[in-house]
Amino acid sequence: MAYLTLAAAILSEVLATTAMKYTDGFSRLWPSVGTALGYLLAFALLAQTLKSMSVGTAYAIWSGAGTAVIAAMGMVFLGESAGALKILGVLLVIAGVVVLNLDGAH
């Protein structure tokens, strides 16, 4: 159940960050409201996750997955550069999350 709650927290954070792109510096009401609500939900779900998962594991997955998904969305949907170094960086973030979780698996 903790992993489902964490996945929902990640999805909420990704949606909030995406909405932030459209706030125009928080000058547009509805994207700004979506950003605030998305982050509020993301942190509430992360807090619930921490009741049954270690903070290091949960935060590594939450931040790493969020970073990787947002970077990929930027490259695929928002016309951001998709150079080899950026892709390598995303892969390294994912590898770091995997390694941190392997240490907690024993």
Side-chain angles (χ1 to χ4, degrees):
M1 186 64 172
Y3 283 100
L4 287 176
T5 306
L6 183 57
I10 293 165
L11 176 62
S12 182
E13 187 264 337
V14 165
L15 292 174
T17 302
T18 302
M20 191 185 306
K21 171 77 173 163
Y22 300 101
T23 66
D24 196 27
F26 290 106
S27 65
R28 296 182 61 214
L29 177 63
W30 294 115
S32 299
V33 169
T35 298
L37 292 175
Y39 278 116
L40 182 64
L41 180 60
F43 281 110
L45 291 167
L46 182 60
Q48 290 301 310
T49 301
L50 295 179
K51 289 181 177 180
S52 59
M53 185 182 289
S54 72
V55 69
T57 299
Y59 194 74
I61 295 169
W62 184 66
S63 61
T67 299
V69 170
I70 287 295
M73 286 178 61
M75 288 183 273
V76 173
F77 298 113
L78 301 175
E80 296 177 3
S81 67
L85 283 178
K86 186 178 273 188
I87 293 169
L88 176 62
V90 170
L91 293 174
L92 288 171
V93 167
I94 293 168
V97 170
V98 169
V99 169
L100 284 170
N101 283 299
L102 288 176
D103 185 56
H106 61 283

